[in-house]
Amino acid sequence: DARVTQTPRHKVTEMGQEVTMRCQPILGHNTVFWYRQTMMQGLELLAYFRNRAPLDDSGMPKDRFSAEMPDATLATLKIQPSEPRDSAVYFCASGFSQDNEQFFGPGTRLTVL
Amino acid sequence: DAKTTQPNSMESNEEEPVHLPCNHSTISGTDYIHWYRQLPSQGPEYVIHGLTSNVNNRMASLAIAEDRKSSTLILHRATLRDAAVYYCILSSQAAGNKLTFGGGTRVLVKP
């Protein structure tokens, strides 16, 4: 049963520390999306990739967030330095560019103290 | 991005049908209508999508108005496991299949 996996599932860190979240998309999928969910803002799209190339990262705070796909099996989202307002659940999703369905991972719950 | 409007919440009894409305009056010709749901403490899960015609799958049915300005997700027999937030989203391949989530409808299923 193919699934999107995300690590870590939970992360507690202190303000100012670097945070790296990882996502393994479903094998063969060529689009990857990063979303963030908070109580106040709901689910927001941060960035997305097609064939490992970043297509849109307009939803991401550029000064501290960065998203990359080092290879087709790994997507990373980094925050440096982290701030308390970054506390949220971060979801990764993958899919086929010619298809409409996105498959979501279980999320990484980040708490920045 | 074209927006959708959904009721904040709905209640249903177990084993009864649930009809979840969604208004999308500014939908464009290339927009697909997607429904996702999010169970507690989980990531969103695809439910169904359509363009113009009504659609059925093992999870639900999607009824699309003739003018495409509204649609209804139908859960034929609600179970306790169907309690979730249901999101109606417009998306197009031209826009990279991006999903812009609104507030969704929180469905409560009573035994």
Side-chain angles (χ1 to χ4, degrees), chain B residues 24 33 35 48-57 60-68 70-74 76:
Chain B
H24 28 78
I33 302 159
W35 284 83
I48 200 166
H49 77 276
L51 184 62
T52 57
S53 303
N54 294 344
V55 185
N56 299 296
N57 66 20
S61 296
L62 177 59
I64 302 173
E66 198 169 330
D67 63 5
R68 300 212 322 132
S70 66
S71 60
T72 302
L73 179 71
I74 302 164
H76 294 287

Side-chain angles (χ1 to χ4, degrees), chain B residues 2 6-7 13 17 25 27-28 30-31 35 46 49 51 54 56 58-60 62 64 71 78 86-88 96 98:
Chain B
Q6 300 177 251
N13 294 317
S25 58
I27 190 171
S28 72
T30 59
D31 283 334
W35 284 83
Y46 168 84
H49 77 276
L51 184 62
N54 294 344
N56 299 296
R58 63 176 179 80
M59 289 182 71
L62 177 59
I64 302 173
S71 60
Y86 287 77
Y87 298 96
C88 170
K98 293 188 294 184

Side-chain angles (χ1 to χ4, degrees), chain B residues 83-102:
Chain B
V85 179
Y86 287 77
Y87 298 96
C88 170
I89 304 164
L90 303 182
S91 180
S92 68
Q93 289 190 8
N97 291 335
K98 293 188 294 184
L99 301 178
T100 302
F101 287 82

Side-chain angles (χ1 to χ4, degrees), chain A residues 12 20 26 40 50 65 79 83 94 101:
Chain A
V12 180
T20 299
I26 292 174
M40 294 298 294
R50 182 186 298 164
F65 284 59
I79 308 174
E83 297 180 2
S94 70
E101 183 176 355

Side-chain angles (χ1 to χ4, degrees), chain A residues 89-109:
Chain A
V89 181
Y90 291 80
F91 290 104
C92 173
S94 70
F96 292 110
S97 56
Q98 68 272 28
D99 202 358
N100 288 282
E101 183 176 355
Q102 291 184 23
F103 295 79
F104 283 76
T108 293
R109 181 175 295 276

Side-chain angles (χ1 to χ4, degrees), chain B residues 6-11 18 20 35-45 47 59 73 75 78-87 103-109:
Chain B
Q6 300 177 251
N8 288 334
S9 63
M10 292 186 72
E11 286 189 3
V18 182
L20 301 176
W35 284 83
Y36 280 75
R37 72 179 185 180
Q38 188 172 21
L39 301 170
S41 302
Q42 294 188 26
E45 172 188 32
V47 177
M59 289 182 71
L73 179 71
L75 308 178
T79 68
L80 296 178
R81 197 191 170 280
D82 291 322
V85 179
Y86 287 77
Y87 298 96
T105 298
R106 182 173 298 276
V107 172
L108 173 65
V109 180

